[in-house]
Amino acid sequence: MADKPIKSDPGFVDEVKALGGINVEACFNCGTCTAVCPLSSGASSFPRKMITYTQLGLKDKVLESPDLWLCNYCGECSKSCPREAAPAETMMALRRYAISQYAPPGFSSFSRMIYRSRAFAWISMILISLIPLVLMLGLHGPINSSSVLMFTFFPEHYIDYIGITLGVIILGVMLYGLGKMYYMTTRGMSGFQGEGHSANGIKWLQEFTKTLFKEVFIQKRLDQCNENSKGWRERLNSEWFTHMTIFWGFIGLLITTSLGFLIPSAISVPLTNGLYIPVTEPIRLLGTLSGLLLVYGATRAIINRVNKSEIYSSHTYFTDWAFLVLLLLAGLTGYSLEIAYYVNSPLLTYALLTVHLIVVFDLFVVAPFTKFAHALYRPLAIWVSRARQYIETT
Amino acid sequence: MKCRQEFKLTEGKKERIGVYVCHCGGNISDYVDVKKVVEEIKKGEPNAIIVKDLMFDCADASQSEMIEDIKAQKLDRVVVAACSPKLHEATFRNMAKRADLNPYMLYHADIREQSSWAHEGDMEGATSKALAHVRAAIAYVKSAEPLEKIKSETTHSVLIIGGGIAGLRAAIDLSRMGVNVMLVERSPALGGHVAELGEIYPYYTSGPEIVKGLVDELKGRDNVAIYTNATVMSYSGYLGKFEVKVKVTHRQPGSEYSEITLHVGSIIVATGFDTYRPPKGEYGYGTVKGVVTLPDLVKALGDGSKELIYEGRRIREMAFIYCVGSRQKPPEDGGHANLYCSRYCCNAATSQALTIHRRFNNVKIYHLYRDMRTYGRNELMYEDAAKGGSIFIRFDEDHPPLVAEDGDRCRVTFWSSLIENQPVDILVDLVVLVTGMEPRQNEELNRTLSLPAGSDGFYKEIHPKLRPVETNITGVLISGTAQAPRDVRETLSSASAAAAKAASFVLKNELELDPFVAFVNPQACEAHQECIKECPYGAIELVEELGKKARVTSAKCKGCGACVAVCPTGAIQLKGYTNMEIKSMIEELAR
């Protein structure tokens, strides 16, 4: 009782409502949501606690809690809510809020505006797309219309330079966000910051590895969300499978791209002249398969959202559409590019290359400010949560 | 009034008694040897002309058999040994009536609840106890006297005390039933608390509109007399025949007040409630600017302005604190106010919140409650308020919120179990203390009426379920919030209930009351007046004309026996329970 009171921010509820917490005020704190949640546990109990924080305007409490990211948005809570307060939407809105708040100053308000204003989001996307377009229009080489010479049209090292510059900025922004999240979620916890940190080093590493394998590679918690679907047939139709295909598709493409840049010599055919690389070439094969997974996953996710078949696909924000559509477009333009190249249609190839690069550029630029950011925030939160539990039990 | 007070002894006369012992299927005979009881009575009681055991005494055939016996054998007393008299005494008294036997010459002895059921498995014990009961019953009927029901003429009019919505509703109902109504209101205007209220959920009718609707209905009814500025001075009489003195204050100069006497058959008390006033300092009341009670808020909302402004302060955020003065701990645990839940306050506060949400944009309301008791249809209002922008936070009784000044706003600190018991500060412009109802401070009237009150201080009914509007003064009824905290709907229903009950009394020309009342043997009375002091109903008076003797007004007497116990000379006794009757029963049981 001697604790210093926390200040309430009366405007926070409205902020969360604007970010998608459509009916958070209707909650009367019965706790049914927390009881039915397949992922909530004694140590990290949600969504009721998060909703209470929201109603009372305790925004720091929200940002200090890794629990926000332990939710995988299955929608069971919203289904069972007696007041139709849509707790799953509030959790989603709070994650949007956290993404905008963890971002560096300036980026933070940009992120918040993208979520809150559809017009702002559209204009931003168009302006962002103009950057690679202008660069390509300004920097492209001779257009050979008799045969496809892709890297004569746009030299590969330009792509690399632009990509590396963008990557460094994005990585910096993401690292800032991760750092802020780590700082806020572990503030005041002994063993995380300051003394005692190194003593737990090995344990930390163990927990980190566990998190990486269980929650990133096989995404066990998301699988747990679908409690009733344990057979393979159900698994293939589950949200978990969709998510896994998108995740692994994306990772595969990321690896392919990086390898292509790092070890060009490993690829038998010189790339600089943009000649055809055989499909059987391992790195290329990996890229093709990953692209298939990505296109499959993104398509299914989009279909789910169009049909609104589940709670988790019923409320779609502009940013959700943008992310999924960009993913799908990245895959589709990639394959179209290959086909155009294969059928030797030079002008189409150059056009598709331009579109493909714009899409990929957009995808990376908005990554730290939109749903994409969960790919890094969620594993960190899970790891912090595990570590917190470990500290509390020892 | 026909009331026979003479007391004759019947010694020397040979009684002719009928005794009917019941098997009650097996309920009695499984553990009471009914045949043995019959044999023993036959052996030991020569005046028992008929002694029988029957499978079911209460069966039609059995009753016919008893009637035949009474008539054929000229029986003048009957003992029925069966179930509890609560169940079938009236049945057998009616049977006696049909056989032209005075119904009070019958005694219903309980050998089921008292013997067979109480002593399962002990046949011998149960049988001997049953036998003792039957013998005591025979002793009673031997000394019993025929009694008559007390009959009382009635005045076809009803006095209603209190001109709030309960009084008005009761007045309308009675007037429509053809009963003359006299309504006495202390204040200059009708409508009471409701006249001061704003919109009332559901339908958002305002308090004054409700009052106007009721008053309009009363207007032009020629069997209704309304006295405002009037107070009840004294009353006397009994059901059917009350005499009430009323003081009416005049506003015209010259005559300050006049006294009028009203004659009524029944009285409805609808005197309403008082609002709980928090002592200075409770949740900052009277010490922190911007802390008000719910009724204060209601008044402030009444001006119809576009913005919510209280004492010059524009209200953007506000907090309601619930259960102020209600559901408190008992005084021995440090409580200072009422123990009970006032029921209406959760609903009243939520209703005001809804009104605020509807009338003003962007007012945030925090509701700090202990338990939301928006029962029944009000649950919808609770949900509407939450969806309209109200936030509900539960606090624990042991950690009530703190209210302090913070610049020109109020800082409310509270603890919620959902936030690891860490205190939270909210800054608000207005703190509304949700106060409940208290019994009306009305000592003069309470002394005049001497109505019983419950531990909460509200007037108490005889039985909350079986006799919900009657008090232990027959003919004096209670309704509305004089009886308990209620909302408008409940107040109006209870007023209609009281009106119906009052009509059932006064629309009869003659009332029949049980004859078990006290009576005085004038020869023995020495005017000690102990009985007068003891009587809770004011039924006994000293009459000079009789030579300073006590006299009982039978219609007022409840037969409680308090006077009998204190009389030093044994001059006052109860009919049906005379000292002789009781003594003879005890002697028989002790034999």
Side-chain angles (χ1 to χ4, degrees):
Chain A
M1 290 302 126
D3 292 335
K4 208 173 162 308
I6 330 163
K7 273 257 158 63
S8 156
D9 175 0
F12 186 50
V13 179
D14 299 324
E15 173 79 20
V16 175
K17 278 171 84 174
L19 292 173
I22 40 178
N23 210 1
V24 60
E25 282 158 330
C27 165
F28 62 177
N29 295 308
C30 69
T32 307
C33 49
T34 306
V36 299
C37 176
L39 295 175
S40 173
S41 68
S44 34
S45 154
F46 56 89
R48 174 168 72 171
K49 198 185 261 181
M50 290 296 152
I51 289 164
T52 309
Y53 289 161
T54 309
Q55 289 187 332
L56 297 184
L58 309 178
K59 46 189 183 189
D60 277 1
K61 280 276 183 188
V62 170
L63 297 177
E64 283 165 5
S65 176
D67 297 352
L68 197 52
W69 300 92
L70 303 188
C71 159
N72 271 315
Y73 194 44
C74 65
E76 283 303 317
C77 50
S78 289
K79 270 186 223 162
S80 58
C81 177
R83 274 285 185 90
E84 294 168 335
E89 295 317 309
T90 298
M91 291 296 279
M92 198 66 216
L94 287 174
R95 284 191 289 271
R96 291 183 186 122
Y97 176 76
I99 288 173
S100 75
Q101 291 300 302
Y102 291 145
F107 291 101
S108 175
S109 7
F110 170 72
S111 172
R112 182 168 169 268
M113 285 304 288
I114 282 188
Y115 283 126
R116 290 182 60 127
S117 162
R118 188 180 288 242
F120 181 87
W122 267 112
I123 293 165
S124 307
M125 291 304 292
I126 291 165
L127 289 176
I128 290 167
S129 310
L130 284 178
I131 299 170
L133 186 66
V134 168
L135 284 174
M136 290 198 70
L137 290 177
L139 298 174
H140 75 83
I143 299 170
N144 188 328
S145 54
S146 55
S147 65
V148 181
L149 292 173
M150 204 157 68
F151 294 126
T152 310
F153 167 71
F154 199 71
E156 202 204 5
H157 57 273
Y158 284 1
I159 300 178
D160 291 342
Y161 294 151
I162 296 168
I164 288 165
T165 315
L166 182 65
V168 166
I169 295 169
I170 296 304
L171 196 67
V173 170
M174 277 313 295
L175 283 175
Y176 180 95
L178 288 171
K180 188 165 176 186
M181 184 196 208
Y182 180 81
Y183 169 73
M184 290 200 80
T185 52
T186 60
R187 190 155 59 182
M189 299 283 302
S190 64
F192 277 103
Q193 295 170 26
E195 279 179 46
H197 181 87
S198 52
N200 294 316
I202 290 171
K203 182 69 196 168
W204 277 183
L205 204 65
Q206 277 177 1
E207 289 299 336
F208 184 79
T209 331
K210 260 191 211 165
T211 307
L212 198 65
F213 274 96
K214 278 191 176 171
E215 306 307 339
V216 180
F217 292 171
I218 61 168
Q219 296 164 17
K220 204 161 168 248
R221 292 178 66 85
L222 186 57
D223 190 30
Q224 276 172 1
C225 258
N226 306 77
E227 268 186 315
N228 299 324
S229 56
K230 285 301 173 203
W232 277 108
R233 182 187 277 273
E234 285 85 7
R235 270 219 168 83
L236 288 176
N237 282 317
S238 70
E239 190 200 4
W240 169 79
F241 186 72
T242 309
H243 194 264
M244 285 286 274
T245 52
I246 297 175
F247 172 76
W248 282 111
F250 185 82
I251 292 293
L253 286 169
L254 201 67
I255 291 171
T256 320
T257 315
S258 309
L259 287 181
F261 166 68
L262 291 171
I263 40 169
S265 55
I267 298 168
S268 53
V269 184
L271 288 167
T272 40
N273 58 2
L275 285 177
Y276 178 69
I277 305 162
V279 181
T280 47
E281 197 280 320
I283 293 179
R284 208 196 137 125
L285 191 63
L286 179 64
T288 308
L289 291 175
S290 303
L292 276 174
L293 283 178
L294 186 75
V295 169
Y296 171 79
T299 310
R300 267 197 56 170
I302 288 171
I303 290 171
N304 280 344
R305 284 186 181 268
V306 169
N307 292 340
K308 301 186 182 209
S309 51
E310 293 288 338
I311 294 275
Y312 60 79
S313 58
S314 311
H315 300 272
T316 308
Y317 255 56
F318 177 83
T319 49
D320 300 326
W321 284 130
F323 178 51
L324 284 175
V325 170
L326 285 174
L327 276 180
L328 185 63
L329 280 181
L332 290 180
T333 50
Y335 283 114
S336 310
L337 186 60
E338 290 218 24
I339 293 163
Y341 190 100
Y342 198 68
V343 298
N344 204 8
S345 168
L347 290 178
L348 188 63
T349 309
Y350 306 147
L352 281 170
L353 177 69
T354 311
V355 174
H356 182 69
L357 289 177
I358 289 172
V359 167
V360 173
F361 186 87
D362 285 356
L363 195 59
F364 277 92
V365 167
V366 297
F369 318 113
T370 58
K371 196 188 187 89
F372 204 160
H374 82 276
L376 292 175
Y377 287 137
R378 190 185 299 278
L380 177 65
I382 294 172
W383 174 67
V384 168
S385 169
R386 280 172 177 276
R388 268 167 88 150
Q389 274 178 45
Y390 168 73
I391 286 174
E392 271 154 23
T393 50
T394 51
Chain B
M1 167 156 318
K2 281 180 259 170
C3 181
R4 303 188 349 170
Q5 298 202 340
E6 60 271 38
F7 178 54
K8 291 179 295 185
L9 294 180
T10 50
E11 270 173 71
K13 196 179 146 200
K14 198 157 157 58
E15 305 91 3
R16 297 180 66 78
I17 308 170
V19 179
Y20 298 91
V21 186
C22 181
H23 288 248
C24 196
N27 272 302
I28 294 170
S29 52
D30 281 356
Y31 292 107
V32 170
D33 187 345
V34 173
K35 296 278 181 203
K36 191 182 167 195
V37 173
V38 168
E39 287 314 308
E40 290 292 318
I41 298 294
K42 270 185 181 163
K43 247 190 277 168
E45 186 49 68
N47 291 352
I49 309 296
I50 301 246
V51 187
K52 278 182 182 169
D53 60 294
L54 297 168
M55 189 50 77
F56 288 105
D57 277 8
C58 58
D60 280 352
S62 306
Q63 289 191 48
S64 305
E65 196 176 331
M66 289 180 202
I67 292 171
E68 272 168 34
D69 286 351
I70 292 167
K71 285 183 172 165
Q73 300 293 328
K74 296 193 168 54
L75 301 178
D76 57 4
R77 285 140 228 270
V78 172
V79 168
V80 172
C83 54
S84 161
K86 290 257 179 211
L87 202 64
H88 275 310
E89 192 178 59
T91 312
F92 294 117
R93 288 232 158 104
N94 284 333
M95 179 277 294
K97 222 173 173 177
R98 292 201 300 277
D100 296 325
L101 178 71
N102 183 294
Y104 298 97
M105 298 303 282
L106 176 142
Y107 192 91
H108 185 144
D110 177 3
I111 59 163
R112 190 178 74 177
E113 280 82 346
Q114 300 266 343
S115 298
S116 67
W117 283 0
H119 303 284
E120 269 188 44
D122 178 8
M123 188 108 183
E124 204 179 317
T127 305
S128 72
K129 189 173 178 183
L131 187 58
H133 276 260
V134 177
R135 281 183 176 143
I138 292 170
Y140 176 90
V141 293
K142 277 184 178 175
S143 48
E145 279 292 307
L147 300 173
E148 295 295 332
K149 285 220 169 197
I150 299 162
K151 290 182 175 157
S152 164
E153 284 169 28
T154 57
T155 314
H156 294 260
S157 54
V158 172
L159 168 70
I160 298 168
I161 306 175
I165 54 162
L168 294 171
R169 180 73 254 167
I172 294 166
D173 288 4
L174 285 166
S175 166
R176 281 183 179 166
M177 286 185 267
V179 176
N180 295 322
V181 178
M182 290 139 200
L183 193 149
V184 170
E185 164 59 40
R186 188 169 62 170
S187 74
L190 296 172
H193 287 283
V194 173
E196 295 171 356
L197 297 181
E199 293 172 344
I200 295 167
Y201 187 90
Y203 311 132
Y204 303 107
T205 328
S206 76
E209 280 173 294
I210 291 175
V211 171
K212 190 174 175 296
L214 293 168
V215 173
D216 284 351
E217 261 200 88
L218 271 182
K219 273 184 193 162
R221 294 201 154 264
D222 51 12
N223 57 355
V224 179
I226 296 173
Y227 304 93
T228 51
N229 288 309
T231 47
V232 171
M233 306 286 293
S234 66
Y235 96 113
S236 60
Y238 41 84
L239 172 61
K241 237 180 191 168
F242 289 105
E243 193 182 291
V244 186
K245 287 201 164 59
V246 175
K247 185 170 103 176
V248 186
T249 312
H250 301 289
R251 271 173 294 179
Q252 297 98 323
S255 57
E256 286 204 335
Y257 65 87
S258 55
E259 236 183 75
I260 50 170
T261 306
L262 306 173
H263 296 276
V264 293
S266 177
I267 299 172
I268 295 176
V269 180
T271 48
F273 67 97
D274 277 338
T275 311
Y276 171 77
R277 291 310 285 187
K280 202 175 168 192
E282 184 173 12
Y283 293 115
Y285 186 74
T287 55
V288 176
K289 192 175 178 273
V291 179
V292 300
T293 63
L294 186 60
D296 296 335
L297 173 76
V298 170
K299 270 178 212 147
L301 286 172
D303 65 358
S305 61
K306 286 258 188 290
E307 279 193 83
L308 185 54
I309 292 170
Y310 192 84
E311 287 181 355
R313 195 183 271 186
R314 165 107 196 268
I315 311 300
R316 286 185 183 82
E317 275 106 33
M318 57 195 292
F320 281 76
I321 300 177
Y322 284 67
C323 291
V324 177
S326 306
R327 299 176 68 208
Q328 302 297 306
K329 287 180 175 167
E332 59 267 27
D333 295 335
H336 69 282
N338 303 314
L339 300 178
Y340 55 85
C341 164
S342 199
R343 298 176 76 252
Y344 95 108
C345 1
C346 282
N347 307 300
T350 325
S351 162
Q352 291 308 318
L354 264 183
T355 301
I356 292 170
H357 289 317
R358 215 180 53 248
R359 269 179 57 188
F360 311 105
N361 278 330
N362 295 323
V363 175
K364 191 139 270 154
I365 307 180
Y366 297 94
H367 299 254
L368 298 166
Y369 68 91
R370 278 175 53 196
D371 295 291
M372 285 309 289
R373 294 185 171 176
T374 46
Y375 53 91
R377 261 188 268 178
N378 298 319
E379 185 69 15
L380 301 174
M381 178 168 75
Y382 175 25
E383 190 166 342
D384 285 351
K387 288 180 177 168
S390 274
I391 284 168
F392 290 85
I393 309 143
R394 189 171 185 276
F395 71 85
D396 189 83
E397 186 186 8
D398 294 327
H399 293 291
L402 304 174
V403 181
E405 241 163 43
D406 192 307
D408 58 350
R409 307 186 84 194
C410 305
R411 189 177 68 241
V412 181
T413 309
F414 62 88
W415 289 262
S416 161
S417 56
L418 295 176
I419 350 182
E420 299 104 20
N421 280 317
Q422 196 175 355
V424 176
D425 271 354
I426 44 175
L427 285 178
V428 294
D429 306 294
L430 192 69
V431 175
V432 180
L433 306 183
V434 180
T435 49
M437 289 180 180
E438 284 191 324
R440 173 84 85 178
Q441 291 297 309
N442 217 342
E443 277 176 35
E444 218 171 300
L445 185 72
N446 289 348
R447 235 192 338 268
T448 310
L449 297 175
S450 64
L451 281 178
S455 57
D456 54 9
F458 288 94
Y459 295 136
K460 198 179 171 196
E461 63 290 312
I462 290 183
H463 191 288
K465 298 188 191 81
L466 302 175
R467 299 170 77 180
V469 296
E470 293 169 80
T471 66
N472 64 6
I473 303 176
T474 314
V476 179
L477 310 171
I478 47 177
S479 77
T481 51
Q483 188 181 3
R486 286 186 169 130
D487 69 10
V488 171
R489 275 177 286 172
E490 293 157 349
T491 297
L492 294 174
S493 339
S494 88
S496 287
K501 193 79 211 171
S504 79
F505 290 145
V506 302
L507 286 178
K508 286 180 196 157
N509 291 323
E510 207 176 47
L511 289 167
E512 280 198 337
L513 304 170
D514 267 340
F516 306 114
V517 292
F519 67 98
V520 179
N521 175 4
Q523 278 84 42
C525 178
E526 291 172 13
H528 288 95
Q529 303 189 39
E530 293 297 325
C531 54
I532 298 175
K533 277 184 246 164
E534 203 61 35
C535 178
Y537 308 101
I540 313 172
E541 59 193 331
L542 201 66
V543 184
E544 299 285 341
E545 301 93 81
L546 299 174
K548 272 201 160 195
K549 301 288 178 192
R551 187 173 70 186
V552 178
T553 307
S554 304
K556 276 183 159 184
C557 177
K558 290 283 182 177
C560 71
C563 51
V564 180
V566 296
C567 180
T569 60
I572 197 161
Q573 292 194 44
L574 270 188
K575 285 191 188 168
Y577 298 94
T578 62
N579 291 355
M580 200 178 137
E581 284 161 344
I582 301 297
K583 213 172 135 192
S584 63
M585 288 180 87
I586 295 170
E587 273 171 4
E588 197 55 54
L589 284 167
R591 196 155 64 104

